[in-house]
Each structure stands twice: as C-alpha cells, then as structure tokens.
Amino acid sequence: VTVPSHGAASQRHAGDAAAGGRDRPSVPLAVVAEGLEVELVTGEVVRYANLDNAASTSPLSAVADAVDEFLPWYSSVHRGDGLASQVSTEAYAAARAVVASFVSARETDTIVFTRNTTDSFNLLARALPPGARVITFAAEHHANLLPWRSGAVHHLPIPATPDAALEMLEQALGDGFQGPRLVSVTGASNATGELWPIEALAAVAHRHGARLALDAAQLVAHRPVDMRALDVDYLAFSGHKLYAPYGAGVLIGRGDWLDTADPYLAGGGAVRSVSLDDVEWVDGHARHEAGSPNVLGAVAVAAACRAIAKVGWPAIVDHERRLTAHLHRGLASLDGVQTYSMWDGEHDRIGVAAFNLAGCNQRKLGAILSAEFGIAVRHGAFCAHPLMDQLAAGPETRGGAVRASVGVATETEHIDRLLNALVEIRERGPCWTYAALDGRVAPDPDPRTLPRLQALDRCLSGAER
Ligand SMILES: Cc1ncc(COP(=O)(O)O)c(C=O)c1O
C-alpha cells in the first residue's frame, strides 16, 4: 500500500490480501466524485479518500444524469399549463411511487417529500395526536431526540445489548398508559454503525398498542429497508445520504395522524379552498407540502432508489461488509487506537467506525488525515452527544472521536491508507504544524488553495463581506 507524501512507516499496517489491495469498488455504481484529486500540504496531489459517507454522499452518476436530463423540463408542478409543467408534475408523482416501492411502503401510506430526516421528524412530531407520548433511546441522533421535546418524551438508557433494548421497551410500554404512543428508533447508529433490532422492537411496540418510527437516515443506503416486513409505522430518511444530495428527504407512514394534524407548512398547494377567514386543508402528502416542492430533489431520490434496486442489494451489502470487516479488523489491530461500540461481541453493522488515537486529539487527527493523506473523515460527537458522552467519556476524549464511514464507492485502498496513516501519526506525529483556528484545528501555514471552480467563481466571486 502506498501512502503518498510519507516514507515507509516502521510499522506499516499489513493491508488485507483477502480484501484485495488497491481495487475498484466491486459495486457497479459510479459516483460523481470518483477520481477526485486533492492537494496535500506538501504540494502533492492524491486521489481523495472519502471516508465520510455517513455524513453525506456524492451523487451517483446515474442520479446526476437523471437530474441533468430533467433540468430543461423543470417547471412548476400541478397547475402549470405548459408541457414542461406536465413533465415536471409527472416526474414528481412518479418519484413518489418509486420511493414507496423502494422501501415497500403500504398502499395506504402517505409519502411526504421533506428536506431531510430532521425535517421528517419535526413534521411527525407536529403530527402527534394530543397527549401522545414518545419513547426513544439515549443513543439516538439529535434529529431523533430534539423534535420530540415539545411534548412528552421518555428517554430509555443506552441498552447493553440488542436484547436489553427489547426488554427496556417492553418494560417502558407496560406502564398502563392508554393514550397514543410512538417509539422512535434508528436502524443503524451513525456513531458505531451497529444495527438495531427494528423488527423485534416494532413487534414489542405493536403488542402494547404503540407505533414505531424508523430513523433510516443511515440504514437506507446500506441495507434493504422493507416497511412491511419490518412492520414499521413511519420511516424517515435523507436523499443526501443516499447518493442524491439535492435537498430532499422523505417521511412515509400511516396517514391518520398526518391527516388530522395541522399542516406542517401553511400555504398554497395544501388547501382545497380559502376565504379570508376560513381554510379547508387537503389530506395526504399535499397537506404537509405547501409551497413549490423540490421536484429536482424528489427526482434525484427516486433515481438513486432505482439505481440501487437495479444493481441489487447483495452486491452492495457484500462490498460494504467486506470493507467494514477490513476497517474494524485493521483498527482493532493497531496499538493506541480505541474504537467504540455500544454492544460487546460481534453484531452486524454498517460501515461506520468511531475511534480515537492516543496522544492525538480528534480535531487534530481529522485535520492531519485530510492535510497530509487526503483522507476525509469527521470528528466530534456526530450529533449524538448523549451516546458519545457515554462511549468516549474521559478527560482525553471528552465525548468525541473520529469517524470513518464507507459507501458504494469506497475502495480497500482508502481504508489501507487510513490504517497506514494512523500508524505513521502514532509513530512520528504529524509532519506539519497545526494551529487552532475558528474553533477547528488547521494546518499552519496552509499552502493549499481551494480548487478554482469556474462557474462557481463567476457567481460567487466578490461575495466576501
Ligand atoms: C441516524 C441519523 N439520523 C438522523 C440524521 C439527520 O439527518 P439530516 O441531517 O439529513 O436531517 C442523521 C444525520 O447524520 C443520522 O445519522
């Protein structure tokens, strides 16, 4: 494995022969950012190793192609008389149907296009019936913690095992409360990648007359999600984590609460009739989608769903399992590297690993990986503060870590580069100087210049204030 800009480390990570060395991803799904090159502080230019897929993904080329082809036909939906309006209206409706089929939504489910998962949960929180109680686990992303706080919410502690999660939920729901209840839980942890036992949690919830909302923000790009088989009542996810970063997300689920709730947004498109002192709202998705919708975003999400369905889950899951095992095995083999899991032992997980390197705080580690190795990771608490405060407690880490995460375009070389970089940093320290700058750590001096993007330059230059 070649690590640009650094000589041979005295204790290189061995690489993984079984994982295949430097390879092209085995999934035939190209992303737009494939082949992206970045400058290092040393002046070298290397291929970008994007290990930050859990935050956001590059669009699939198939998604960008679909959006590009659609752009000339983009127009207002629903009431425009022009042909482009008809094309746009059809595309928007078809996108809804494609997304519904991708997650096996029930015929009766309402499918609302939102901005992202956060938006979806804020919408669902506003649609809860009066007096409803929400139950979540403390391990959740803030998007599945904060929206519920305007009502009654019960946080269950982080369970020691997936079975303990079921027992905790069983106990919490057995309190005799008779009103409406919603259990809201993630499918895969954005900090550790561990998969939650969704089908079993939904069964417990239903046995007690509660509903279950699945936060599929992480899960949906990495594993098949079948709403009927899992028997989940609501599902939320974001296009930008599903290789469709054009500003759309989705909330899918049972229509009754959604149809009874006040519209999430009040405005055009959500009404049947309006007088100066009265309004009659429509039901269904339109009730919560007032204003001109994000048709491009919806088309992009649908294009991603179709591209993934065409390739098929087995190829994607195999590819990511192989890389995930390589990443975790590699990190576990490195002295001085501590990784974090909620649960002991082997549990299935998507390709996410949170870790710290002794003697190098996470902010600096993230900066070094980027500046000296061209590796993109994320550092911090990943919008899961209660979880990370527990997992990475201690004066050195203070609830933070570095996170590496894989996707369809991840190559074995990216992971080998990370593992080798950690060895180099541990043994020699950084080969550049760094300073705290605006709350982050950055190379100092930083000789790199941001790439010149001509069209962007033309519209943004001179905008500094
Ligand atoms: C598990 C989980 N839920 C919810 C979210 C929120 O997603 P978004 O920022 O797209 O609203 C994220 C984002 O990282 C996440 O990982």
Side-chain angles (χ1 to χ4, degrees):
V1 178
T2 312
V3 180
S5 87
H6 290 260
S10 56
Q11 194 200 326
R12 270 204 181 292
H13 178 79
D16 185 340
R22 187 169 187 145
D23 62 354
R24 282 275 304 103
S26 48
V27 183
L29 276 173
V31 297
V32 166
E34 198 172 314
L36 196 67
E37 295 188 324
V38 289
E39 193 183 341
L40 307 181
V41 276
T42 54
E44 265 181 274
V45 173
V46 299
R47 289 174 69 235
Y48 193 51
N50 178 16
L51 291 175
D52 197 16
N53 291 280
S56 267
T57 49
S58 171
L60 292 175
S61 301
V63 169
D65 288 349
V67 169
D68 281 353
E69 188 186 47
F70 175 62
L71 275 175
W73 294 97
Y74 170 75
S75 189
S76 66
V77 296
H78 300 321
R79 270 162 299 278
D81 293 318
L83 192 64
S85 278
Q86 288 172 35
V87 173
S88 285
T89 303
E90 266 201 26
Y92 193 50
R96 211 182 296 277
V98 168
V99 170
S101 134
F102 184 65
V103 294
S104 301
R106 294 159 291 251
E107 297 281 311
T108 49
D109 280 335
T110 298
I111 296 132
V112 187
F113 281 115
T114 61
R115 286 179 293 184
N116 47 39
T117 309
T118 305
D119 202 29
S120 298
F121 279 134
N122 276 275
L123 161 52
L124 187 55
R126 297 248 215 110
L128 294 176
R133 288 191 185 169
V134 175
I135 297 166
T136 60
F137 288 89
E140 295 295 325
H141 187 282
H142 298 170
N144 191 20
L145 287 175
L146 300 177
W148 314 120
R149 292 195 181 171
S150 49
V153 56
H154 179 180
H155 301 122
L156 298 176
I158 298 162
T161 62
D163 283 346
L166 300 175
E167 283 160 30
M168 279 177 185
L169 185 62
E170 186 81 53
Q171 206 173 7
L173 290 171
D175 64 359
F177 179 73
Q178 292 301 314
R181 288 184 294 190
L182 179 72
V183 178
S184 193
V185 62
T186 191
S189 165
N190 67 313
T192 68
E194 289 161 295
L195 300 188
W196 286 69
I198 296 303
E199 191 178 345
L201 287 166
V204 173
H206 292 154
R207 203 164 49 249
H208 290 275
R211 296 185 179 189
L212 186 130
L214 170 58
D215 174 352
Q218 292 297 333
L219 192 63
V220 75
H222 306 287
R223 295 298 159 88
V225 173
D226 182 325
M227 286 185 75
R228 294 178 205 222
L230 293 172
D231 200 14
V232 298
D233 300 280
Y234 301 94
L235 176 78
F237 66 88
S238 306
H240 72 98
K241 293 182 197 286
L242 183 68
Y243 311 100
Y246 293 80
V250 187
L251 175 69
I252 305 178
R254 305 209 180 269
D256 51 353
W257 291 358
L258 292 166
D259 284 345
T260 321
D262 283 345
Y264 185 47
L265 296 170
V271 297
R272 195 165 286 121
S273 68
V274 181
S275 68
L276 284 185
D277 38 35
D278 202 9
V279 53
E280 196 187 339
W281 303 105
V282 291
D283 287 346
H285 57 261
R287 185 180 187 86
H288 298 288
E289 287 184 3
S292 301
N294 178 2
V295 184
L296 289 179
V299 165
V301 172
C305 294
R306 268 286 152 83
I308 288 172
K310 191 163 167 220
V311 164
W313 280 111
I316 295 170
V317 173
D318 279 2
H319 167 73
E320 293 190 1
R321 276 219 170 102
R322 191 170 57 83
L323 292 169
T324 305
H326 183 40
L327 174 64
H328 279 273
R329 260 202 313 271
L331 290 171
S333 74
L334 296 181
D335 292 341
V337 171
Q338 154 114 54
T339 55
Y340 301 101
S341 294
M342 288 180 292
W343 303 318
D344 288 338
E346 288 291 306
H347 292 279
D348 198 8
R349 59 172 106 211
I350 59 165
V352 171
F355 59 92
N356 273 301
L357 176 65
C360 185
N361 80 53
Q362 65 258 182
R363 284 195 300 168
K364 188 165 177 185
L365 183 54
I368 298 170
L369 290 171
S370 171
E372 299 181 33
F373 298 90
I375 299 169
V377 291
R378 183 166 172 195
H379 74 267
F382 322 121
C383 296
H385 289 186
L387 173 65
M388 290 308 294
D389 279 346
Q390 184 168 321
L391 292 185
E396 261 204 41
T397 51
R398 290 193 292 183
V402 165
R403 179 182 71 187
S405 50
V406 312
V408 291
T410 306
E411 300 173 28
T412 309
E413 188 275 329
H414 299 164
I415 291 171
D416 286 338
R417 203 191 311 176
L418 171 69
L419 298 172
N420 287 333
L422 292 172
V423 173
E424 297 238 359
I425 296 164
R426 183 191 68 200
E427 302 212 341
R428 300 179 178 183
C431 71
W432 205 260
T433 47
Y434 292 82
L437 223 166
D438 299 333
R440 64 190 187 97
V441 172
D444 183 28
D446 191 345
R448 297 169 300 173
T449 49
L450 291 181
R452 309 299 305 183
L453 304 175
Q454 289 176 10
L456 258 197
D457 274 359
R458 277 197 297 276
C459 53
L460 298 182
S461 64
E464 305 88 36
R465 294 198 294 163

